[in-house]
Short mmCIF file of all heavy atoms in Angstrom, two decimals:
data_model
loop_
_atom_site.label_atom_id
_atom_site.label_comp_id
_atom_site.label_asym_id
_atom_site.label_seq_id
_atom_site.Cartn_x
_atom_site.Cartn_y
_atom_site.Cartn_z
N SER A 200 -13.34 -42.74 30.75
CA SER A 200 -13.45 -41.33 31.10
C SER A 200 -14.68 -41.10 31.96
O SER A 200 -15.71 -41.77 31.80
CB SER A 200 -13.57 -40.46 29.83
OG SER A 200 -12.51 -40.73 28.93
N LEU A 201 -14.57 -40.12 32.87
CA LEU A 201 -15.68 -39.75 33.74
C LEU A 201 -15.87 -38.23 33.70
O LEU A 201 -14.91 -37.49 33.59
CB LEU A 201 -15.44 -40.19 35.18
CG LEU A 201 -15.33 -41.69 35.45
CD1 LEU A 201 -15.01 -41.93 36.92
CD2 LEU A 201 -16.62 -42.41 35.05
N ALA A 202 -17.13 -37.81 33.81
CA ALA A 202 -17.45 -36.39 33.84
C ALA A 202 -18.50 -36.14 34.92
O ALA A 202 -19.51 -36.86 35.01
CB ALA A 202 -17.99 -35.94 32.49
N LEU A 203 -18.25 -35.12 35.75
CA LEU A 203 -19.20 -34.72 36.79
C LEU A 203 -19.94 -33.48 36.31
O LEU A 203 -19.32 -32.47 35.98
CB LEU A 203 -18.44 -34.41 38.09
CG LEU A 203 -19.26 -33.78 39.22
CD1 LEU A 203 -20.42 -34.69 39.65
CD2 LEU A 203 -18.36 -33.45 40.41
N LYS A 204 -21.26 -33.57 36.27
CA LYS A 204 -22.07 -32.47 35.78
C LYS A 204 -22.48 -31.55 36.94
O LYS A 204 -22.40 -31.91 38.11
CB LYS A 204 -23.30 -33.00 35.05
CG LYS A 204 -22.95 -33.85 33.83
CD LYS A 204 -24.17 -34.38 33.09
CE LYS A 204 -24.96 -33.28 32.43
NZ LYS A 204 -26.00 -33.82 31.53
N THR A 205 -22.93 -30.36 36.57
CA THR A 205 -23.33 -29.39 37.58
C THR A 205 -24.54 -29.83 38.36
O THR A 205 -24.80 -29.33 39.46
CB THR A 205 -23.61 -28.03 36.92
OG1 THR A 205 -24.57 -28.20 35.87
CG2 THR A 205 -22.33 -27.43 36.35
N ASP A 206 -25.31 -30.78 37.81
CA ASP A 206 -26.49 -31.28 38.53
C ASP A 206 -26.14 -32.37 39.53
O ASP A 206 -27.03 -32.98 40.14
CB ASP A 206 -27.55 -31.76 37.55
CG ASP A 206 -27.09 -32.96 36.70
OD1 ASP A 206 -25.97 -33.48 36.93
OD2 ASP A 206 -27.84 -33.37 35.79
N GLY A 207 -24.83 -32.66 39.69
CA GLY A 207 -24.39 -33.64 40.68
C GLY A 207 -24.39 -35.07 40.18
O GLY A 207 -24.12 -35.99 40.96
N THR A 208 -24.65 -35.31 38.90
CA THR A 208 -24.60 -36.66 38.35
C THR A 208 -23.25 -36.91 37.69
O THR A 208 -22.54 -35.98 37.31
CB THR A 208 -25.70 -36.88 37.31
OG1 THR A 208 -25.53 -35.94 36.23
CG2 THR A 208 -27.07 -36.70 37.93
N VAL A 209 -22.88 -38.20 37.57
CA VAL A 209 -21.62 -38.59 36.97
C VAL A 209 -21.90 -39.41 35.72
O VAL A 209 -22.77 -40.30 35.73
CB VAL A 209 -20.77 -39.41 37.96
CG1 VAL A 209 -19.46 -39.85 37.31
CG2 VAL A 209 -20.48 -38.61 39.23
N TRP A 210 -21.14 -39.14 34.67
CA TRP A 210 -21.32 -39.82 33.40
C TRP A 210 -19.99 -40.41 32.95
O TRP A 210 -18.92 -39.84 33.22
CB TRP A 210 -21.86 -38.86 32.34
CG TRP A 210 -23.23 -38.33 32.70
CD1 TRP A 210 -23.54 -37.49 33.71
CD2 TRP A 210 -24.46 -38.66 32.06
NE1 TRP A 210 -24.89 -37.25 33.76
CE2 TRP A 210 -25.49 -37.95 32.75
CE3 TRP A 210 -24.81 -39.46 30.98
CZ2 TRP A 210 -26.82 -38.03 32.39
CZ3 TRP A 210 -26.14 -39.54 30.60
CH2 TRP A 210 -27.13 -38.84 31.30
N GLY A 211 -20.03 -41.56 32.26
CA GLY A 211 -18.80 -42.23 31.85
C GLY A 211 -18.89 -42.80 30.46
O GLY A 211 -19.97 -43.05 29.93
N TRP A 212 -17.73 -43.01 29.85
CA TRP A 212 -17.65 -43.65 28.54
C TRP A 212 -16.28 -44.29 28.38
O TRP A 212 -15.35 -44.00 29.13
CB TRP A 212 -17.92 -42.64 27.42
CG TRP A 212 -16.95 -41.49 27.33
CD1 TRP A 212 -15.86 -41.36 26.52
CD2 TRP A 212 -17.01 -40.28 28.10
NE1 TRP A 212 -15.23 -40.18 26.74
CE2 TRP A 212 -15.91 -39.47 27.69
CE3 TRP A 212 -17.86 -39.78 29.10
CZ2 TRP A 212 -15.66 -38.22 28.24
CZ3 TRP A 212 -17.61 -38.54 29.65
CH2 TRP A 212 -16.52 -37.77 29.21
N GLY A 213 -16.20 -45.23 27.44
CA GLY A 213 -14.95 -45.95 27.22
C GLY A 213 -15.04 -47.38 27.73
O GLY A 213 -16.11 -48.00 27.72
N MET A 214 -13.92 -47.92 28.19
CA MET A 214 -13.86 -49.32 28.63
C MET A 214 -14.76 -49.57 29.83
O MET A 214 -14.85 -48.74 30.73
CB MET A 214 -12.42 -49.70 28.97
CG MET A 214 -12.28 -51.12 29.53
SD MET A 214 -10.57 -51.58 29.88
CE MET A 214 -10.00 -51.99 28.26
N ASN A 215 -15.38 -50.77 29.82
CA ASN A 215 -16.26 -51.14 30.92
C ASN A 215 -16.13 -52.60 31.29
O ASN A 215 -17.01 -53.17 31.95
CB ASN A 215 -17.72 -50.82 30.55
CG ASN A 215 -18.66 -50.89 31.74
OD1 ASN A 215 -18.30 -50.47 32.84
ND2 ASN A 215 -19.84 -51.44 31.53
N SER A 216 -15.01 -53.22 30.87
CA SER A 216 -14.87 -54.65 31.12
C SER A 216 -14.79 -54.98 32.60
O SER A 216 -15.09 -56.10 33.01
CB SER A 216 -13.63 -55.18 30.41
OG SER A 216 -12.47 -54.49 30.86
N GLY A 217 -14.39 -54.01 33.43
CA GLY A 217 -14.33 -54.23 34.86
C GLY A 217 -15.38 -53.43 35.62
O GLY A 217 -15.22 -53.19 36.82
N GLY A 218 -16.40 -52.98 34.92
CA GLY A 218 -17.45 -52.21 35.58
C GLY A 218 -17.04 -50.77 35.86
O GLY A 218 -17.66 -50.10 36.69
N GLN A 219 -16.04 -50.24 35.15
CA GLN A 219 -15.55 -48.89 35.42
C GLN A 219 -16.60 -47.81 35.20
O GLN A 219 -16.50 -46.71 35.76
CB GLN A 219 -14.34 -48.58 34.53
CG GLN A 219 -13.15 -49.48 34.73
CD GLN A 219 -13.13 -50.62 33.71
OE1 GLN A 219 -14.15 -51.28 33.51
NE2 GLN A 219 -11.98 -50.85 33.09
N LEU A 220 -17.58 -48.09 34.35
CA LEU A 220 -18.59 -47.07 34.06
C LEU A 220 -19.72 -47.07 35.08
O LEU A 220 -20.56 -46.16 35.07
CB LEU A 220 -19.16 -47.27 32.64
CG LEU A 220 -18.14 -47.22 31.50
CD1 LEU A 220 -18.85 -47.26 30.16
CD2 LEU A 220 -17.26 -45.97 31.62
N GLY A 221 -19.75 -48.09 35.95
CA GLY A 221 -20.71 -48.09 37.05
C GLY A 221 -22.16 -48.16 36.64
O GLY A 221 -23.02 -47.57 37.29
N VAL A 222 -22.42 -48.90 35.56
CA VAL A 222 -23.81 -48.97 35.07
C VAL A 222 -24.43 -50.35 35.29
O VAL A 222 -25.47 -50.66 34.71
CB VAL A 222 -23.86 -48.60 33.57
CG1 VAL A 222 -23.52 -47.14 33.37
CG2 VAL A 222 -22.94 -49.50 32.74
N GLY A 223 -23.78 -51.19 36.11
CA GLY A 223 -24.35 -52.48 36.46
C GLY A 223 -24.05 -53.58 35.49
O GLY A 223 -24.56 -54.70 35.65
N THR A 224 -23.25 -53.32 34.45
CA THR A 224 -22.91 -54.35 33.47
C THR A 224 -21.41 -54.36 33.25
O THR A 224 -20.67 -53.50 33.75
CB THR A 224 -23.62 -54.09 32.13
OG1 THR A 224 -23.08 -52.89 31.54
CG2 THR A 224 -25.12 -53.95 32.32
N GLN A 225 -20.95 -55.32 32.42
CA GLN A 225 -19.57 -55.40 32.00
C GLN A 225 -19.48 -55.40 30.49
O GLN A 225 -18.75 -56.18 29.89
CB GLN A 225 -18.90 -56.67 32.55
CG GLN A 225 -18.58 -56.62 34.03
CD GLN A 225 -17.92 -57.90 34.50
OE1 GLN A 225 -18.59 -58.79 35.02
NE2 GLN A 225 -16.61 -58.00 34.32
N THR A 226 -20.24 -54.51 29.84
CA THR A 226 -20.15 -54.39 28.39
C THR A 226 -18.74 -53.99 28.01
O THR A 226 -18.00 -53.40 28.79
CB THR A 226 -21.15 -53.34 27.88
OG1 THR A 226 -20.90 -52.11 28.57
CG2 THR A 226 -22.58 -53.78 28.13
N ASP A 227 -18.37 -54.28 26.76
CA ASP A 227 -17.01 -54.02 26.32
C ASP A 227 -16.65 -52.55 26.43
O ASP A 227 -15.61 -52.19 26.96
CB ASP A 227 -16.81 -54.51 24.88
CG ASP A 227 -16.83 -56.03 24.79
OD1 ASP A 227 -16.57 -56.66 25.82
OD2 ASP A 227 -17.10 -56.55 23.71
N SER A 228 -17.49 -51.70 25.92
CA SER A 228 -17.20 -50.27 25.98
C SER A 228 -18.45 -49.50 25.59
O SER A 228 -19.43 -50.06 25.12
CB SER A 228 -16.06 -49.90 25.02
OG SER A 228 -16.43 -50.14 23.67
N SER A 229 -18.40 -48.19 25.82
CA SER A 229 -19.51 -47.32 25.43
C SER A 229 -18.94 -46.03 24.86
O SER A 229 -18.16 -45.34 25.52
CB SER A 229 -20.40 -47.02 26.64
OG SER A 229 -21.42 -46.09 26.27
N ARG A 230 -19.29 -45.72 23.61
CA ARG A 230 -18.84 -44.47 23.01
C ARG A 230 -19.65 -43.30 23.52
O ARG A 230 -19.12 -42.20 23.73
CB ARG A 230 -18.96 -44.56 21.48
CG ARG A 230 -18.59 -43.26 20.77
CD ARG A 230 -18.52 -43.47 19.27
NE ARG A 230 -19.82 -43.75 18.71
CZ ARG A 230 -20.67 -42.81 18.27
NH1 ARG A 230 -20.34 -41.54 18.36
NH2 ARG A 230 -21.81 -43.15 17.74
N THR A 231 -20.93 -43.52 23.75
CA THR A 231 -21.81 -42.46 24.23
C THR A 231 -21.76 -42.40 25.75
O THR A 231 -21.88 -43.43 26.42
CB THR A 231 -23.25 -42.71 23.77
OG1 THR A 231 -23.27 -42.80 22.34
CG2 THR A 231 -24.16 -41.58 24.21
N PRO A 232 -21.58 -41.24 26.34
CA PRO A 232 -21.58 -41.14 27.80
C PRO A 232 -22.87 -41.69 28.41
O PRO A 232 -23.97 -41.40 27.94
CB PRO A 232 -21.45 -39.64 28.05
CG PRO A 232 -20.74 -39.12 26.84
CD PRO A 232 -21.28 -39.94 25.70
N VAL A 233 -22.69 -42.52 29.45
CA VAL A 233 -23.85 -43.10 30.15
C VAL A 233 -23.78 -42.66 31.61
O VAL A 233 -22.70 -42.46 32.17
CB VAL A 233 -23.83 -44.64 30.05
CG1 VAL A 233 -24.09 -45.09 28.62
CG2 VAL A 233 -22.50 -45.23 30.55
#
Side-chain angles (χ1 to χ4, degrees):
S200 306
L201 296 177
L203 172 60
K204 298 180 68 170
T205 54
D206 63 5
T208 60
V209 178
W210 297 69
W212 62 97
M214 176 178 280
N215 193 39
S216 59
Q219 299 96 312
L220 301 187
V222 292
T224 67
Q225 286 181 264
T226 55
D227 290 338
S228 64
S229 176
R230 176 171 68 89
T231 303
V233 292

